[in-house]
C-alpha cells in the first residue's frame, strides 16, 4: 500500500507530518501530489502541505495542476496572511522551474498577492485567545511587510529584473541562479 494512502488513514498529525517531511527530503512526487490536494479549505495542515510541494519542486518536476493548486490557495488571503508566510516562498521555488508558462503564472500570482497586503492584519494573539496567551507583540503592519519582502525575494528567484535590482541595491550583491 502506498505511503500516501497510509497518511490518509492515520489520526496522529505528528506521525503524518514527520512522514511527510521525511518523504519530501527524498523528493517524493507522490507526497507533493498528496499535499497539493489538501490545499483547499481551512486546515492547519495547509502550511506544511504547501512547503512540501515547494521543496519537492526544487528537485522534481511538478505538473501544472499542482502549480495551479498552490497558486489558488496562495491567493486566498485569510485576513492574517498566515498561509502566505509559507506559500510565497513556495511560489518562488516553483517559479524557478525552467518552464516559461509556470514562471509567468507564478509571477502573476505573487504580484496579485502583493496587491492585497494592505488588508492583512496582525492576529490579536499568536494562535488562540485562551488562558496563558499573550497579545501579539508585533506592531501593526509587520506581518504584511514580512510577506512583501518574501514576495520580492521570490520574484528575484524567478528572474524578475526589477526585484533582482532591488535586492542588489538593498542587500548587496545577490546571486540568483
Amino acid at each position: 500500500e502506498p505511503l500516501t494512502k497510509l497518511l490518509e488513514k492515520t489520526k496522529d498529525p505528528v506521525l503524518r507530518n514527520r512522514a511527510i517531511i521525511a518523504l519530501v527530503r527524498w523528493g517524493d512526487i507522490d507526497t507533493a501530489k498528496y499535499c497539493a490536494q489538501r490545499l483547499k479549505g481551512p486546515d492547519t495542515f495547509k502550511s506544511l502541505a504547501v512547503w512540501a510541494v515547494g521543496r519537492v519542486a526544487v528537485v522534481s518536476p511538478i505538473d501544472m495542476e499542482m502549480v495551479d493548486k498552490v497558486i489558488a490557495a496562495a491567493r486566498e488571503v485569510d485576513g492574517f496572511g498566515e498561509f502566505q508566510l509559507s506559500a510565497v516562498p513556495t511560489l518562488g521555488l516553483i517559479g524557478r522551474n525552467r518552464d516559461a508558462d509556470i514562471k509567468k503564472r507564478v509571477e502573476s500570482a505573487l504580484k496579485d498577492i502583493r496587491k492585497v497586503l494592505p488588508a492583512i492584519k496582525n492576529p490579536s494573539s499568536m494562535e488562540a485567545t485562551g488562558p496563558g496567551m499573550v497579545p501579539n507583540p508585533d506592531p501593526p503592519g509587520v506581518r504584511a511587510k514580512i510577506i512583501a519582502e518574501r514576495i520580492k525575494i521570490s520574484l528575484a528567484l524567478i528572474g524578475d529584473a526589477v526585484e533582482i535590482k532591488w535586492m542588489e541595491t538593498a542587500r548587496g550583491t545577490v546571486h540568483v541562479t
Side-chain angles (χ1 to χ4, degrees):
E1 188 168 19
L3 187 54
T4 52
K5 292 291 182 198
L6 295 172
L7 290 172
E8 291 174 11
K9 290 180 182 178
T10 184
K11 302 291 185 230
D12 182 351
V14 174
L15 175 64
R16 178 196 62 198
N17 293 355
R18 286 180 179 165
I20 287 170
I21 291 167
L23 290 167
V24 165
R25 287 183 182 145
W26 292 339
D28 184 67
I29 196 72
D30 289 333
T31 301
K33 288 177 184 177
Y34 168 85
C35 289
Q37 292 170 350
R38 277 134 191 91
L39 293 176
K40 275 200 158 298
D43 181 4
T44 56
F45 175 62
K46 281 173 55 171
S47 291
L48 176 66
V50 77
W51 170 84
V53 174
R55 292 291 145 201
V56 171
V58 171
V59 296
S60 301
I62 64 171
D63 60 33
M64 193 61 78
E65 183 180 348
M66 279 196 282
V67 173
D68 288 340
K69 286 179 181 180
V70 171
I71 288 172
R75 284 185 167 146
E76 293 176 19
V77 177
D78 62 9
F80 298 128
E82 191 68 37
F83 180 71
Q84 284 68 35
L85 290 168
S86 296
V88 166
T90 291
L91 286 170
L93 294 173
I94 290 171
R96 292 183 76 181
N97 184 309
R98 301 300 178 236
D99 181 281
D101 190 35
I102 289 176
K103 280 186 176 197
K104 191 182 303 181
R105 285 182 189 204
V106 167
E107 181 178 14
S108 174
L110 288 166
K111 290 179 178 179
D112 287 348
I113 294 166
R114 181 187 275 165
K115 291 175 191 172
V116 299
L117 289 179
I120 292 176
K121 303 181 256 345
N122 286 357
S124 58
S125 70
M126 296 311 286
E127 282 296 314
T129 55
M133 295 304 297
V134 296
N136 186 341
D138 294 334
V142 167
R143 187 171 290 233
K145 288 177 186 173
I146 290 169
I147 296 169
E149 292 287 313
R150 294 182 106 173
I151 288 171
K152 288 179 181 184
I153 293 166
S154 293
L155 286 168
L157 275 174
I158 63 175
D160 184 287
V162 171
E163 301 305 347
I164 290 173
K165 185 68 177 164
W166 167 82
M167 287 191 63
E168 288 173 346
T169 304
R171 307 273 194 266
T173 304
V174 174
H175 302 284
V176 179
T177 58

